[in-house]
């Protein structure tokens, strides 16, 4: 996994480094650890689905999945409201 460090991407396994580029093209959500970054732009590439926002009750949200627990646990679904941009997550129970 590549982590951002002082304007450079660094691979935790092999030590490969690469400049990070323009920081304005990345979004870090509240639930991410420092160094976990999702690339974004004005026009999002994330898929959209029916989901009720807990903040504004809008019925559409962008979503993505991320492995945040051990490998034998299911992925966590993250949602971003397409209206107010509130972010929340949904774990499998």
């Amino acid at each position: 996994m590549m982590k951002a460090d002082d304007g450079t991407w660094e691979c935790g396994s092999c030590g490969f480094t690469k400049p990070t580029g323009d920081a304005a093209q990345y979004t870090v959500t509240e639930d991410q650890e420092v160094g976990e970054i999702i690339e974004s732009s004005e026009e999002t590439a994330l898929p959209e689905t029916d989901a009720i926002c807990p903040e504004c009750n809008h019925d559409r949200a962008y979503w993505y999945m991320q492995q945040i627990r051990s490998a034998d646990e299911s992925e966590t679904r993250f949602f971003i409201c397409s209206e107010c941009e509130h972010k929340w997550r949904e774990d499998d129970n």
Side-chain angles (χ1 to χ4, degrees):
M1 179 186 309
M2 300 289 277
K3 299 205 183 235
D5 185 33
D6 294 330
T8 306
W9 287 111
E10 183 176 344
C11 176
S13 299
C14 70
F16 173 79
T17 60
K18 179 180 177 181
T20 58
D22 182 14
Q25 67 182 345
Y26 304 107
T27 303
V28 178
T29 66
E30 300 162 359
D31 296 324
Q32 290 176 303
E33 295 178 15
V34 175
E36 290 182 342
I37 297 175
I38 298 172
E39 289 192 39
S40 67
S41 66
E42 291 293 321
E43 188 77 24
T44 184
L46 296 174
E48 195 172 7
T49 188
D50 294 330
I52 304 297
C53 174
E55 289 292 312
C56 71
N57 289 324
H58 185 66
D59 63 351
R60 299 290 293 170
Y62 301 109
W63 66 275
Y64 62 96
M65 296 181 79
Q66 186 171 359
Q67 187 72 40
I68 60 172
R69 294 170 285 178
S70 62
D72 64 340
E73 299 287 333
S74 62
E75 293 178 308
T76 300
R77 286 177 295 277
F78 290 90
F79 295 93
I80 304 168
C81 177
S82 58
E83 182 70 25
C84 72
E85 297 185 6
H86 173 72
K87 299 172 182 82
W88 73 97
R89 69 191 225 180
E90 179 182 287
D91 295 312
D92 284 339
N93 294 332

